[in-house]
Amino acid sequence: MHWKKYTILLPPFILIALLMAIYLPSGQKHYVILAALVFWAFYYTWIFIEKKRGKE
């Protein structure tokens, strides 16, 4: 696991998820899971791009 990338990306996405959980209407609270899915998409995309460029 790339801990540096993980710790850079995690705090903003936790904040976004919390804000979504607080401010979304009760019928749309299920959209909070999208924050987690987008987090993992960003994380794995970042790793993929670095591997493709040859950096490790």
Side-chain angles (χ1 to χ4, degrees):
M1 179 172 258
H2 300 262
W3 289 104
K4 186 176 180 183
K5 293 172 188 62
Y6 187 81
T7 56
I8 289 171
L9 289 174
L10 190 61
F13 280 98
I14 288 177
L15 180 64
I16 291 167
L18 286 173
L19 290 173
M20 287 174 70
I22 292 169
Y23 291 113
L24 280 176
S26 61
Q28 297 179 345
K29 297 261 187 205
H30 58 276
Y31 288 122
V32 174
I33 193 71
L34 289 176
L37 295 174
V38 172
F39 165 78
W40 288 111
F42 270 87
Y43 176 75
Y44 284 115
T45 302
W46 191 358
I47 291 171
F48 173 77
I49 290 170
E50 277 197 348
K51 283 184 179 179
K52 192 169 184 174
R53 288 184 181 170
K55 297 179 183 175
E56 192 64 65

